[in-house]
Amino acid sequence: MSDPAPYQEACMNDADCSGQPQSDIDPQETSEWLDSLDYVLEQHGIERATYLFERLRDRLGERGAQVSHSINTPYVNTLPVSQQPPYPGNLELERRIRSLIRWNAMAMVVKANQQRPGIGGHISTFASAATLYEVALHHFLRGKDSPQGGDQVYFQGHAAPGIYARSFVEGRLPEEALHRFRAELNSDGRGLSSYPHPWLLPDYWEFPTVSMGLGPILSIYQARFNHYLQDRGLKDTNQQRVWAFIGDGETDEPESLGALSLAARERLDNLIWVVNCNLQRLDGPVRGNGKIIQELEAIFRGAGWHVIKVIWGSDWDALLSKDDEGLLVKRMGEVVDGWYQKYVVEGGAFARQHFFGADPRLLKLVENYSDEQIHKMLRGGHDPRKLYTAYKAAVEHTGQPTVILAKTIKGYGLGEAGEGRNISHQQKKLNEQELREFRTRFSVPVPDAHLTSTPFYRPPTDSPEAAYLEERIKIMGGPIPARRVTVEPLTTPALDRFKEFLEGSGERSVSSTMGFARMLSRLLGMKDIGKYLVPIIPDEGRTFGLEAFFRQYGIYSHIGQLYEPVDKSSLLHYFEAKNGQILEEGITEAGAMSSYIAAGTSYATHGINMIPFYIFYSMFGFQRIGDLMWAACDMRARGFLLGATAGRTTLEGEGLQHQDGQSHLLASAYPTIAAYDPAFMFELAVILQDGLKKMYQDQQDVSYYITLYNESYQMPTMPPNVEEGIREGVYRFRPAPDRAKHRAHLLASGPLVNEAVRAQSLLLRYGVAADVWSVTSYKQLRMRTLETERWNLLHPESAPRVSFLQQTVEQFDGPCVAVSDYVRLVPQQIAPWIPGGLLTLGTDGFGRSDTRKALRRFFEVDAEHLAVATLYTLSRRGSVAANLVMQATRDLGVSPDGEAPWHR
């Protein structure tokens, strides 16, 4: 095969692309400069040489030269052999242990697909990453019993079979568990989930990572939250580290790299990323025409991270030491990843011809190497010595987060079955010959007679391997992964401590957002729980009326405040502090949600009941970061999600992109989210108190989603005996003031309760006495009723149970109409249980920039439309004549013409 055209990288990937003339007008002088540099390196070391280089570059800049700052280093290991420490472990025993884990991981997936064809699973990811994990687990990752405190480890999701296999070899998991990989439902709860899921294996996995990109961003905010706990004096986390093992293809996800600068700004030297650069994603190369390691190096260095590249294994050291002219390093740098992948597949002869054959002097370097030797020359990510060197440097580095870019081979060890091939990610089965080659390559003690059954193999308890594993696990502080919940419940405030909010606002008009701000202030001031609260704001504090908290509680910054704010003379000036309590995240809902997750799971990760209050534009919650919210549910996060400026017609002026009419519909699909839509301060107080008790006193794994509004109106006093209804989802807020010929029931939530009250008065003109019901949670009503119906279905011989909703609707003595500031599907959640059916009005369609009054008329959810809709339901029952409905449309200015709002 002919050699490709010489590869030219972009300047960001080529240390020689300086924009300066490349011809050397005085080679002798150049040689003298280089000799001087070599002298400094030999006599005084790298630090001195680097210092001199930086001073020379500064001087050039001072003289007006356009000095380029290369953000790439040559395509070799960052740490040379001279900086490689002795390996502290038993390399041979670790190799044998690693080989057994490889075998069991492969056997688990193969066996699952033999027994249940098509069930899936992944072999190749762990095959590429086994050494990355094993060196870290033997020597760096600290378990929960470590005196320094356990590390938090984000495992690459597709590598889960390898992590299960290690737990089996350790003796943590029984063989039966491996037989039940991806067979959870027929396993009495003892099956193994496909990927890391704390909801499914709550004593094992800590972090769900297989939704690409979430593990990386979560790890950054977890590391920052560890500093937060330390800086606020809540827990000593100084020796705890956060490790994230991610794939190179995963870095294409915006969440993966979007928060890199935060880690650098906050100096998160407790954070280490290990990027498994196996050069392949699911369908093909990550960067076939480029070099993913060089690309990532530039990105991370530009963001302020410490970068360690582990590209070449020890087999390459001798060749590099002979590369006096730099030809080998040059060739390494000019070959693109697509060719490196092909070298793995085509073998040593091809690599000799194509890689080394580019220059006769390179061929000379390997003239004594066989083709097989060339083919088996390790990449850095498969060499324990190189990885140990990188890990040790990472944990010792201070002042910056560290990323290790480790080059590996996807499907390493699978041979013809998938090593380095584009199909590798989908490989689920191996034939007998492929199994035999795998067994032989890794010296697994499985006889030929048993090969086709792919038996699991655990070393005997008295074997050197078992003894070594047991010793290392003990030294490192216990097995990983492990999730423990040992937190003590908090005593949460009783409802009477919210007394002022139960009594209403009198003549003063306030919004529910303002009411929440006052309640949050009250909670922060409570000595028993105030210090555990974590207010989280994505750069909207002033919008939500929370700016008073800036000065009183401080905005958290690991480095404090290095400047005087422009509003220093103001009482409410912007105040950053190392012990600040508020997490002001800037314009990043994903980052703020990651902080919520770190705080909301601290009861498990740190044994502390932290109480996050994340307040955000409701439109930019579930719709924008629903994947992170799903992960929070999986992680059993606890806390309060406050969707402010809510409601498609209540948020006036902002228009189509900001007006939320669907968050409660989206929230209905999240299993651990309790969703509430309060209209009044007393409702909000009851819900907050209930949430605090359930999550932090009763220790229930739920989160509360509560919508808040910026419409101000007088807040009434709480009616008697409505607390249960508020918690359960519905109560009668205002009975009909007078008797009338006809009866009806109006359901509403949020500010539209006020429209229902107005409609109540309008209906009296037409002889209709309507009760107004405040629905605080359609989701709660629906789910509790579904639970009741399911129990009844499965227990037909027992007396049927009746849900709170079913008890309530027994009081309905007329038609029922619901109005919502959300799409109609939100109130329709309870339609099956409403006698005579439920007519719903909602805000289906795109929002508009206008006033609340105009918006409610446009979406047909104002009092006038609600009154007409109620009369219509009565006419359908034959209670009133149709001409009365038409008369009402004329009286109330409701137009029967025009397209529906969702078409406009």
Side-chain angles (χ1 to χ4, degrees):
M1 179 175 291
S2 61
D3 195 32
Y7 171 61
Q8 298 295 325
E9 292 192 74
C11 287
M12 64 174 275
N13 289 334
D14 190 338
D16 293 328
C17 289
S18 62
Q20 302 298 317
Q22 297 299 308
S23 59
D24 192 343
I25 62 173
D26 191 343
Q28 179 62 35
E29 182 183 34
T30 302
S31 179
E32 291 172 0
W33 274 94
L34 293 175
D35 289 343
S36 297
L37 179 62
D38 288 339
Y39 174 81
V40 174
L41 284 166
E42 293 169 5
Q43 297 297 317
H44 303 289
I46 290 176
E47 289 189 8
R48 176 62 179 166
T50 302
Y51 173 78
L52 290 175
F53 174 76
E54 296 290 346
R55 289 301 307 274
L56 287 170
R57 189 167 60 186
D58 292 344
R59 179 58 59 88
L60 274 171
E62 292 167 3
R63 295 297 180 90
Q66 297 297 313
V67 184
S68 66
H69 292 258
S70 175
I71 50 179
N72 271 122
T73 59
Y75 197 64
V76 293
N77 296 344
T78 301
L79 302 171
V81 178
S82 60
Q83 296 182 31
Q84 187 170 300
Y87 194 81
N90 187 317
L91 282 166
E92 176 56 24
L93 275 178
E94 290 186 17
R95 183 197 66 78
R96 280 150 52 186
I97 292 168
R98 189 164 61 248
S99 295
L100 296 179
I101 295 170
R102 287 181 183 277
W103 172 267
N104 287 304
M106 177 275 297
M108 189 188 324
V109 177
V110 169
K111 194 181 294 288
N113 283 272
Q114 287 173 342
Q115 297 171 353
R116 301 176 299 281
I119 199 66
H122 301 276
I123 300 173
S124 60
T125 296
F126 181 74
S128 68
T131 311
L132 303 180
Y133 286 117
E134 284 304 297
V135 174
L137 286 162
H138 281 309
H139 302 288
F140 293 97
L141 305 183
R142 293 176 295 208
K144 301 295 185 184
D145 297 324
S146 169
Q148 301 95 332
D151 293 338
Q152 284 104 37
V153 184
Y154 293 76
F155 291 93
Q156 193 176 353
H158 291 102
I163 308 307
Y164 291 139
R166 185 181 220 267
S167 295
F168 166 69
V169 173
E170 292 172 349
R172 289 178 69 194
L173 291 178
E175 181 175 330
E176 181 60 26
L178 270 61
H179 283 286
R180 294 177 173 182
F181 174 61
R182 295 198 173 206
E184 298 177 81
L185 298 180
N186 297 319
S187 306
D188 299 325
R190 295 193 300 273
L192 298 180
S193 59
S194 54
Y195 304 115
H197 293 297
W199 184 261
L200 302 174
L201 292 171
D203 299 324
Y204 191 84
W205 294 117
E206 282 194 287
F207 308 108
T209 54
V210 83
S211 183
M212 299 290 95
L214 299 195
I217 192 172
L218 288 173
S219 71
I220 290 175
Y221 283 87
Q222 181 66 58
R224 201 273 294 266
F225 192 73
N226 288 5
H227 274 184
Y228 175 88
L229 293 175
Q230 173 84 26
D231 292 339
R232 289 194 56 218
L234 295 170
K235 184 188 178 185
D236 183 3
T237 63
N238 194 47
Q239 297 300 313
Q240 292 183 274
R241 298 189 186 94
V242 177
W243 296 73
F245 291 83
I246 68 177
D248 50 358
E250 185 176 3
T251 60
D252 285 340
E253 288 286 359
E255 292 89 347
S256 292
L257 305 182
L260 294 186
S261 62
L262 171 82
R265 290 196 310 272
E266 295 282 332
R267 302 176 185 175
L268 300 182
D269 51 11
N270 61 340
L271 175 65
I272 299 171
W273 279 16
V274 182
V275 184
N276 177 15
C277 297
N278 61 31
L279 312 187
Q280 289 180 243
R281 46 188 182 215
L282 276 67
D283 291 333
V286 177
R287 296 290 185 273
N289 294 318
K291 300 172 84 66
I292 187 60
I293 289 178
Q294 298 299 87
E295 179 181 322
L296 291 176
E297 179 190 29
I299 291 170
F300 280 95
R301 290 186 71 192
W305 285 54
H306 176 51
V307 180
I308 300 174
K309 295 192 292 190
V310 186
I311 301 176
W312 308 107
S314 299
D315 299 328
W316 292 85
D317 290 342
L319 293 180
L320 287 165
S321 68
K322 298 175 184 177
D323 185 31
D324 297 329
E325 300 178 75
L327 295 172
L328 180 57
V329 173
K330 180 176 181 295
R331 183 60 176 156
M332 289 171 166
E334 68 189 12
V335 173
V336 296
D337 286 351
W339 286 116
Y340 279 117
Q341 184 182 352
K342 195 169 181 67
Y343 298 152
V344 174
V345 174
E346 295 295 334
F350 180 81
R352 182 191 300 275
Q353 173 199 352
H354 188 276
F355 181 81
F356 293 101
D359 190 297
R361 291 167 292 181
L362 289 177
L363 278 174
K364 184 73 174 173
L365 283 177
V366 292
E367 63 181 352
N368 295 323
Y369 284 65
S370 68
D371 290 344
E372 184 179 4
Q373 283 178 298
I374 291 175
H375 189 228
K376 289 186 176 180
M377 292 172 71
L378 288 177
R379 303 213 174 152
H382 299 300
D383 190 325
R385 293 182 181 88
K386 300 301 183 184
L387 289 173
Y388 180 84
T389 300
Y391 289 158
K392 186 174 186 293
V395 299
E396 292 174 354
H397 188 76
T398 58
Q400 290 174 287
T402 295
V403 61
I404 296 169
L405 305 174
K407 191 174 185 179
T408 65
I409 297 171
K410 192 158 189 175
Y412 180 74
L414 296 181
E416 293 291 327
E419 182 169 295
R421 299 174 185 271
N422 286 336
I423 63 164
S424 182
H425 191 82
Q426 304 301 329
Q427 187 66 316
K428 320 293 182 191
K429 298 178 181 180
L430 277 71
N431 61 37
E432 184 174 352
Q433 179 60 30
E434 291 163 345
L435 289 169
R436 181 175 289 107
E437 291 175 358
F438 190 100
R439 183 273 317 270
T440 302
R441 179 169 181 172
F442 294 111
S443 306
V444 180
V446 174
D448 287 347
H450 297 159
L451 265 180
T452 54
S453 66
T454 55
F456 298 120
Y457 182 86
R458 177 189 288 147
T461 55
D462 59 352
S463 67
E465 293 89 345
Y468 187 84
L469 256 181
E470 182 179 6
E471 178 190 20
R472 293 311 307 168
I473 291 171
K474 183 177 180 181
I475 290 172
M476 297 309 296
I480 297 175
R483 182 179 181 274
R484 295 182 187 173
V485 179
T486 57
V487 70
E488 292 295 323
L490 291 176
T491 300
T492 56
L495 188 58
D496 58 12
R497 297 184 71 176
F498 296 85
K499 184 173 182 293
E500 66 179 282
F501 306 107
L502 308 181
E503 295 175 344
S505 64
E507 297 299 317
R508 191 162 58 95
S509 293
V510 298
S511 67
S512 59
T513 303
M514 294 169 60
F516 166 75
R518 288 171 53 195
M519 290 182 209
L520 183 60
S521 178
R522 173 61 60 87
L523 288 168
L524 284 164
M526 293 182 182
K527 291 184 178 180
D528 42 359
I529 67 167
K531 66 180 180 180
Y532 298 117
L533 268 63
V534 185
I536 303 169
I537 310 166
D539 202 40
E540 292 284 359
R542 299 184 194 278
T543 302
F544 305 141
L546 302 177
E547 64 269 31
F549 294 163
F550 293 168
R551 181 65 188 92
Q552 187 173 2
Y553 296 102
I555 296 165
Y556 173 71
S557 168
H558 182 57
I559 60 174
Q561 191 163 37
L562 307 181
Y563 64 95
E564 183 175 292
V566 295
D567 56 354
K568 180 64 185 296
S569 60
S570 168
L571 180 65
L572 306 179
H573 68 264
Y574 198 85
F575 174 55
E576 297 185 70
K578 189 169 183 177
N579 65 345
Q581 192 163 356
I582 298 168
L583 293 177
E584 218 290 359
E585 301 295 15
I587 306 174
T588 167
E589 284 81 9
M593 188 64 199
S594 297
S595 280
Y596 173 86
I597 291 171
T601 57
S602 61
Y603 71 94
T605 53
H606 288 292
I608 304 176
N609 273 310
M610 301 303 291
I611 309 173
F613 283 83
Y614 170 29
I615 183 170
F616 52 92
Y617 253 88
S618 67
M619 187 66 159
F620 305 139
F622 288 92
Q623 177 159 307
R624 189 174 192 130
I625 50 168
D627 200 12
L628 279 164
M629 290 181 164
W630 188 262
C633 295
D634 190 349
M635 293 173 70
R636 301 168 177 262
R638 303 169 184 171
F640 293 94
L641 298 162
L642 291 310
T645 56
R648 184 151 286 153
T649 68
T650 303
L651 178 60
E652 60 183 355
E654 288 295 280
L656 186 151
Q657 189 63 55
H658 289 69
Q659 290 166 342
D660 168 35
Q662 58 265 17
S663 67
H664 275 286
L665 178 64
L666 299 174
S668 68
Y670 289 68
T672 69
I673 297 287
Y676 286 90
D677 187 25
F680 307 116
M681 282 200 304
F682 68 79
E683 293 178 355
L684 179 59
V686 170
I687 294 164
L688 285 178
Q689 188 273 335
D690 180 59
L692 287 168
K693 180 180 183 299
K694 284 193 168 87
M695 290 185 286
Y696 300 102
Q697 188 165 310
D698 301 340
Q699 296 290 296
Q700 294 183 21
D701 295 337
V702 296
S703 288
Y704 273 56
Y705 175 59
I706 305 171
T707 38
L708 304 173
Y709 299 87
N710 64 354
E711 180 177 0
S712 295
Y713 44 84
Q714 293 177 5
M715 295 289 172
T717 302
M718 184 171 72
N721 305 316
V722 298
E723 293 94 323
E724 182 185 18
I726 293 171
R727 290 190 291 264
E728 291 295 329
V730 63
Y731 69 96
R732 189 177 351 229
F733 169 65
R734 179 166 295 183
D738 298 300
R739 289 181 175 273
K741 182 177 181 182
H742 306 290
R743 291 279 291 145
H745 298 271
L746 309 180
L747 307 183
S749 54
L752 292 197
V753 171
N754 294 319
E755 292 296 322
V757 170
R758 220 163 47 85
Q760 183 184 57
S761 298
L762 294 176
L763 285 167
L764 284 174
R765 304 180 193 173
Y766 303 96
V768 180
D771 291 350
V772 175
W773 298 77
S774 178
V775 182
T776 55
S777 179
Y778 285 107
K779 181 183 181 182
Q780 179 82 342
L781 293 170
R782 174 177 176 266
M783 296 311 298
R784 290 294 178 88
T785 305
L786 288 176
E787 290 170 10
T788 299
E789 289 199 333
R790 177 182 177 275
W791 191 93
N792 292 338
L793 183 152
L794 298 174
H795 300 83
E797 295 179 341
S798 301
R801 295 178 177 178
V802 181
S803 72
F804 184 86
L805 173 63
Q806 289 168 323
Q807 293 175 22
T808 301
V809 299
E810 289 176 359
Q811 304 172 51
F812 288 5
D813 53 358
C816 188
V817 182
V819 63
S820 175
D821 216 356
Y822 299 87
V823 295
R824 286 164 171 77
L825 281 173
V826 173
Q828 282 172 0
Q829 292 180 81
I830 66 169
W833 302 285
I834 303 298
L838 177 67
L839 178 64
T840 60
L841 304 181
T843 56
D844 301 72
F846 288 123
R848 297 291 196 279
S849 300
D850 214 310
T851 64
R852 293 187 185 102
K853 182 178 180 179
L855 288 166
R856 287 168 183 166
R857 176 50 60 104
F858 174 82
F859 281 105
E860 302 169 359
V861 294
D862 57 7
E864 289 78 8
H865 279 88
L866 181 54
V868 169
T870 305
L871 291 171
Y872 169 75
T873 61
L874 287 166
S875 73
R876 295 284 292 178
R877 291 187 173 201
S879 301
V880 301
N883 61 3
L884 181 63
V885 182
M886 291 305 300
Q887 180 62 46
T889 61
R890 291 189 291 271
D891 295 344
L892 302 176
V894 172
S895 173
D897 302 318
E899 286 189 303
W902 51 88
H903 288 313
R904 289 188 271 168

